[in-house]
Amino acid sequence: MDDTAGAKAGRSTGRGVAVVTGAGSGIGRSVARALAEAGWTVALAGRRREALEETAAGLPAGRALPVPTDVTSPERVAALFATVLDRFGRVDLLFNNAGTFAGGGTPVEELSYETWRTAVDTNLTGAFLCAQAAFRAMREQDPRGGRIINNGSISAHVPRPHSIAYTATKHAMTGLTKSLSLEGRPYRIACGQIDIGNAATEMTARMRTGILQADGTLAAEPVMDAADVAATVVHMAALPLEANVQFATVMATTMPYIGRG
């Protein structure tokens, strides 16, 4: 059996077909690998083919398909899902993970319009475009339904200093999650959100050396292994569609979140 046939038969032999955005590094890479190892067939979406191929390296044959994608482009997102549907026949899971910390560390009065737009286009519009495409596929496929898991953030609840663009988009992600949950009910489409605090990735490297706190001081913050985030996403993804983790918060136990400020 070739890889394509094996993937299309994956509903009976594995978990199903997942799309992971931002799969070339960090949390996306950890989640994509964990899903593949748990039996999912995974489409790896991200800007850089080389990074996606690194993510796919060592995974079971036929379980990973790198698809270079720009989530801010409606045409590229449409092409991503067309490729997945053509190759695998369906979409059972979307992990809406692609994001940027554009503008992080910049006071509101100094933030440029271009940086604001970069954050909004990637974190919010990109998430919407991917969710819309996944929703359409899940609504029409047979058997109908699927699951969307949005990557929120601790910043979906409380801001860090000088992070207005990132914080605003992550608050908006919560609204996206709630709306998708509501609109997905008639079609067996579940939507949940994982809010992550200080997973050890390139994006959080500076937290280990010192980052601005709400009282104006600099302090190093604890981090956790990204594999712990991946394990949570795999658990959420494995639930039957009759059950949903609506919101989950996974964070380094002693990071300054409870009591922040």
Side-chain angles (χ1 to χ4, degrees):
M1 179 181 292
D2 64 23
D3 288 350
T4 303
K8 288 186 176 179
R11 291 284 296 173
S12 60
T13 59
R15 293 288 188 178
V17 178
V19 176
V20 175
T21 65
S25 63
I27 289 169
R29 173 172 287 178
S30 293
V31 168
R33 287 176 170 171
L35 287 168
E37 290 164 2
W40 291 83
T41 299
V42 186
L44 309 171
R47 290 178 179 269
R48 298 172 295 136
R49 177 175 289 278
E50 296 81 3
L52 299 177
E53 290 174 347
E54 288 178 11
T55 299
L59 294 178
R63 289 291 186 194
L65 175 67
V67 186
T69 305
D70 177 358
V71 299
T72 70
S73 165
E75 294 78 17
R76 295 291 297 276
V77 170
L80 163 66
F81 282 87
T83 297
V84 173
L85 291 171
D86 180 65
R87 179 74 178 267
F88 303 125
R90 60 184 295 112
V91 177
D92 297 288
L93 173 68
L94 166 65
F95 181 46
N96 227 347
N97 168 71
T100 178
F101 199 57
T106 304
V108 59
E109 70 273 18
E110 298 176 12
L111 188 72
S112 70
Y113 173 75
E114 291 75 19
T115 302
W116 168 267
R117 279 299 304 267
T118 295
V120 172
D121 289 350
T122 304
N123 297 352
L124 180 56
T125 303
F128 163 73
L129 291 172
C130 291
Q132 183 184 55
F135 194 102
R136 287 168 172 164
M138 293 170 180
R139 183 188 62 187
E140 299 300 326
Q141 63 196 13
D142 183 22
R144 171 183 275 181
R147 188 181 307 276
I148 298 169
I149 301 174
N150 291 326
N151 184 348
S153 171
I154 296 299
S155 292
H157 303 270
V158 293
R160 286 186 176 278
H162 303 166
S163 65
I164 192 167
Y166 184 78
T167 299
T169 58
K170 291 303 184 178
H171 273 63
M173 183 72 88
T174 299
L176 186 72
T177 297
K178 291 178 178 180
S179 291
L180 288 167
S181 293
L182 181 60
E183 296 201 35
R185 288 178 185 174
Y187 309 111
R188 298 187 75 244
I189 299 173
C191 184
Q193 180 169 312
I194 182 167
D195 295 323
I196 302 164
N198 288 13
T201 66
E202 292 178 6
M203 185 180 289
T204 61
R206 61 192 178 134
M207 295 177 185
R208 284 168 275 186
T209 58
I211 191 167
L212 185 64
Q213 305 295 305
D215 63 0
T217 62
L218 292 176
E221 294 187 9
V223 297
M224 62 176 174
D225 197 313
D228 297 322
V229 176
T232 305
V233 174
V234 169
H235 167 70
M236 295 168 71
L239 292 172
L241 291 178
E242 291 72 27
N244 187 41
V245 176
Q246 187 66 69
F247 292 98
T249 302
V250 183
M251 52 179 263
T253 303
T254 57
M255 73 166 288
Y257 164 51
I258 302 299
R260 183 183 284 189

